[in-house]
Amino acid sequence: QSILRAILGPYSAWKYGVQADPFLEQGDRPYLIMMNHQTPFDQFFIGMSFKGPVYYIATEDIFSKGWISSVIRYLVAPVPIKKQTTDLHAVMTCMKIAKEGGTIALAPEGNRTFSGKTEYIKPSIVKFARALKLPIAIYRIEGGYGVQPRWSDAVRKGSMHAYVSHVIEQDEIKELSDDELYELLLKELYVNEGVADGTYRHPKLAEYLERAMYVCPHCGLSEFESSGDIIRCKQCGQSIRYLPTKELEGIDRPFPFRFVTEWYDYQCDFINNWDPRLYQEKPLYQDTARLSEVILYKNKRPLRNQVSVALYGNRITIDDDLVFLFDETAAVTVLGRNKVNIYFGDTVYQLKSDKRFNALKYVNIFNRYKNIREGNENGKFLGL
């Protein structure tokens, strides 16, 4: 890890404009590091702040990339965790590392933010933290959404700050109830980038925002296309400019949201007040993609180079001959910027389309259906 830190530390500072403060109070103690998740390089910021080896908890996707995964294992020995489940094997591995005096790092969200706000954190993080019996170092990352939103390929010129903002000692952890510790973690990890707190410059500020947005405030479920700093609704033609301050500006008419954060919240509210069971006859969306089978912790096996994908309110179909009924599907998740994993029976399928593909709608609609099916119509969790 020292070799990796020497190379990627300076590269991260140059690429992301990040100031990663050294954790001067670290001493020789091991920690459980919890960070909010904004960029694909967040783990390297931790490496710039902490001395000594850090064991990172990572989702299974990075272990299914063939030889690249082998290199990652050799350099940082990450702990694999299945994204859609509570992975008891990963928990036991972390307990062993903690008992041996190792420092462990994870993003409790399990996802990079699409909106600029810290995403949902499962309450089970409390039991995990208690089991490790380590002090918790809250690692706060600010400005990462401005520099590179999850939906964008472009790294903007701007600045970031990464640092340990708070340490929760074991004595305090023992005194707090599970609910109190959970609320404390939510408070300390919460970052909202939906504010005009700096400038982030690039000629393609809005490019690929359609990976995150699929609900228009004027016409509901829709599709978008972007170019440069502008994104446009394909149905009603509303055009919106993304400004260097992260603000949104309606071009042909006023736009009701100032930041993507607000627009994203509206999108979630729209889906949470919508009944997908009413949309089983005609597809809501149709896409083309490459279909693979994920061999967990090994690689991906190509199945079909190009398939027709249809999303209904209760299922996903592939070429009309492969049907994933939501009632029989364990999970639908988004990986990276816009890949979809479908956990069906003992098989994990992956859909990978072009750069403008919106994977989020598959995840949100599946989870809305699941919430209703389980009698949780007021549930807010949509998969992220």
Side-chain angles (χ1 to χ4, degrees):
Q1 286 195 5
S2 59
I3 296 173
L4 193 66
R5 184 181 290 113
I7 296 171
L8 289 176
Y11 176 76
S12 301
W14 169 79
K15 184 178 178 70
Y16 287 94
V18 63
Q19 175 187 325
D21 295 348
F23 181 35
L24 300 178
E25 294 79 23
Q26 178 181 357
D28 296 324
R29 294 199 300 167
Y31 289 84
L32 172 59
I33 304 168
M34 293 190 185
M35 64 178 176
N36 61 301
H37 200 2
Q38 294 189 340
T39 82
F41 267 60
D42 289 349
Q43 64 271 27
F44 301 121
F45 307 153
I46 287 177
M48 295 162 67
S49 294
F50 282 78
K51 60 185 180 182
V54 176
Y55 294 87
Y56 298 93
I57 297 177
T59 56
E60 73 266 20
D61 190 53
I62 73 163
F63 297 90
S64 305
K65 298 178 182 292
W67 68 269
I68 295 176
S69 297
S70 298
V71 173
I72 293 172
R73 283 192 185 95
Y74 174 76
L75 289 173
V76 294
V79 178
I81 189 169
K82 294 179 183 177
K83 191 166 189 175
Q84 86 286 7
T85 64
T86 299
D87 192 330
L88 293 179
H89 182 265
V91 173
M92 296 302 293
T93 301
C94 290
M95 290 177 66
K96 181 180 178 182
I97 292 170
K99 191 174 181 179
E100 294 174 353
T103 289
I104 299 164
L106 82 159
E109 299 161 84
N111 271 287
R112 284 175 61 198
T113 174
F114 272 104
S115 70
K117 282 199 306 189
T118 302
E119 297 281 6
Y120 174 77
I121 296 173
K122 292 181 179 179
S124 58
I125 191 64
V126 169
K127 294 191 183 302
F128 176 74
R130 290 195 190 280
L132 297 190
K133 299 179 181 178
L134 294 174
I136 300 171
I138 302 295
Y139 195 75
R140 189 175 178 88
I141 300 171
E142 301 169 344
Y145 184 81
V147 171
Q148 189 181 23
R150 182 175 181 178
W151 45 262
S152 176
D153 288 348
V155 179
R156 299 102 196 279
K157 278 291 183 184
S159 61
M160 290 181 60
H161 190 199
Y163 60 101
V164 174
S165 61
H166 187 69
V167 173
I168 309 173
E169 298 288 353
Q170 266 296 304
D171 288 346
E172 183 179 2
I173 292 171
K174 291 176 182 177
E175 290 177 359
L176 296 172
S177 69
D178 284 356
D179 288 344
E180 289 171 336
L181 180 55
Y182 180 61
E183 290 301 320
L184 177 60
L185 292 174
L186 293 185
K187 175 186 173 184
E188 294 295 333
L189 287 163
Y190 182 76
V191 174
N192 184 355
E193 299 279 325
V195 293
D197 56 357
T199 55
Y200 303 88
R201 301 191 180 279
H202 195 279
K204 298 179 180 180
L205 288 173
E207 189 171 72
Y208 304 135
L209 181 51
E210 62 266 43
R211 291 170 173 169
M213 308 313 303
Y214 61 91
V215 173
C216 173
H218 304 297
C219 48
L221 293 179
S222 184
E223 293 181 275
F224 293 84
E225 59 184 359
S226 64
S227 178
D229 63 353
I230 294 172
I231 184 168
R232 185 180 72 88
C233 175
K234 289 185 177 182
Q235 287 190 175
C236 69
Q238 162 90 79
S239 293
I240 309 109
R241 176 172 283 113
Y242 189 104
L243 301 173
T245 56
K246 298 180 290 185
E247 293 172 287
L248 302 174
E249 177 184 74
I251 295 176
D252 46 343
R253 53 178 154 161
F255 190 64
F257 308 114
R258 186 180 172 194
F259 297 97
V260 171
T261 308
E262 298 166 1
W263 186 5
Y264 184 91
D265 285 346
Y266 170 84
Q267 178 170 278
C268 291
D269 288 343
F270 180 95
I271 297 300
N272 277 323
N273 287 283
W274 173 80
D275 191 343
R277 297 171 299 179
L278 304 177
Y279 300 87
Q280 300 185 22
E281 300 300 321
K282 295 181 180 180
L284 297 162
Y285 290 97
Q286 293 179 288
D287 295 292
T288 59
R290 183 168 71 248
L291 179 67
S292 301
E293 179 185 354
V294 179
I295 312 300
L296 289 177
Y297 313 130
K298 291 183 179 179
N299 53 30
K300 298 182 182 74
R301 183 169 68 90
L303 298 178
R304 304 179 193 178
N305 284 332
Q306 184 169 304
V307 296
S308 296
V309 187
L311 173 61
Y312 296 81
N314 71 329
R315 67 193 185 277
I316 297 168
T317 66
I318 309 291
D319 284 347
D320 294 326
D321 67 342
L322 189 57
V323 180
F324 302 110
L325 292 172
F326 290 165
D327 285 328
E328 301 172 2
T329 301
V332 179
T333 63
V334 57
L335 296 101
R337 296 178 178 91
N338 63 341
K339 292 178 289 187
V340 174
N341 270 16
I342 302 170
Y343 297 80
F344 192 79
D346 294 329
T347 306
V348 181
Y349 296 91
Q350 186 170 104
L351 297 172
K352 185 175 181 181
S353 187
D354 62 26
K355 289 198 167 195
R356 299 187 182 278
F357 176 61
N358 183 303
L360 196 57
K361 60 182 184 280
Y362 289 84
V363 177
N364 290 167
I365 290 172
F366 167 80
N367 279 280
R368 175 57 179 160
Y369 180 91
K370 181 180 176 182
N371 286 343
I372 294 174
R373 182 190 68 196
E374 294 177 351
N376 188 23
E377 292 198 20
N378 296 321
K380 300 298 182 184
F381 179 64
L382 292 175
L384 275 83

